[in-house]
Amino acid sequence: MPTQIFDKHFRLLEQTAKLRNRRNAMVASNISNRETPGYKAQDLVFEKDLMRALHSDRPGPLKTSDPRHFDGIKREPLDLVQGEQINSHNPDPRMDGNTVNLDKEMAKLAENQLMFKATTRAINWKLHLLKSAISERN
């Protein structure tokens, strides 16, 4: 059985970084359109989808007698998780229909940047461990 260098946790980090990048662009677009009449603020939610895909190898609720049988769980590979684009909730839209709340968007941007930085640090750590393992072998 071949050994996988990049396990599912590495793929999770990689997909998280991609989705955080997409969310960053979306929030930045919201901020840049804060004066556009009728603009609806958007957001990207993906955390639950990633967790579901991460745990997709767990057994489902149905017993199967063959590995090709369905076990009752909808499984999506980590690489295919795209998240869901939603309208950001703003209970106080402006008179022109714009739903961008600048304070809320700036907070989302800061949080997303911190999470992206944490994700890239985790990726770098995993690569460092891999490099160490390779160099120890020689």
Side-chain angles (χ1 to χ4, degrees):
M1 176 157 69
T3 303
Q4 287 189 348
I5 294 176
F6 299 113
D7 61 357
K8 69 179 181 177
H9 295 103
F10 188 87
R11 290 194 323 272
L12 171 71
L13 291 169
E14 180 183 26
Q15 192 64 14
T16 300
K18 288 178 186 177
L19 292 168
R20 291 253 169 241
N21 193 32
R22 267 186 60 208
R23 185 174 191 232
N24 196 68
M26 203 171 288
V27 173
S29 177
N30 291 343
I31 293 169
S32 66
N33 282 292
R34 70 181 181 272
E35 298 298 325
T36 305
Y39 182 82
K40 306 292 183 214
Q42 302 290 309
D43 201 356
L44 184 68
V45 292
F46 53 85
E47 288 86 358
K48 287 181 182 175
D49 293 340
L50 280 176
M51 290 308 291
R52 197 174 311 119
L54 177 66
H55 299 298
S56 67
D57 57 350
R58 291 188 177 167
L62 303 177
K63 240 181 191 338
T64 59
S65 58
D66 187 290
R68 295 173 294 173
H69 291 166
F70 294 112
D71 64 0
I73 291 182
K74 180 183 173 195
R75 299 177 190 275
E76 184 174 21
L78 279 167
D79 304 339
L80 298 180
V81 174
Q82 295 297 312
E84 181 182 357
Q85 187 173 336
I86 61 169
N87 288 328
S88 285
H89 177 69
N90 184 358
D92 238 1
R94 294 192 333 226
M95 293 293 284
D96 65 1
N98 187 305
T99 63
V100 176
N101 178 328
L102 188 58
D103 292 334
K104 189 175 170 184
E105 297 301 318
M106 293 300 286
K108 277 197 263 183
L109 188 63
E111 176 201 18
N112 194 59
Q113 287 174 339
L114 284 171
M115 296 300 285
F116 182 82
K117 191 172 186 176
T119 301
T120 56
R121 281 188 176 180
I123 290 170
N124 286 335
W125 178 249
K126 280 198 154 290
L127 290 173
H128 171 75
L129 291 175
L130 183 60
K131 181 180 175 186
S132 294
I134 292 170
S135 63
E136 288 293 318
R137 236 174 187 197
N138 294 334

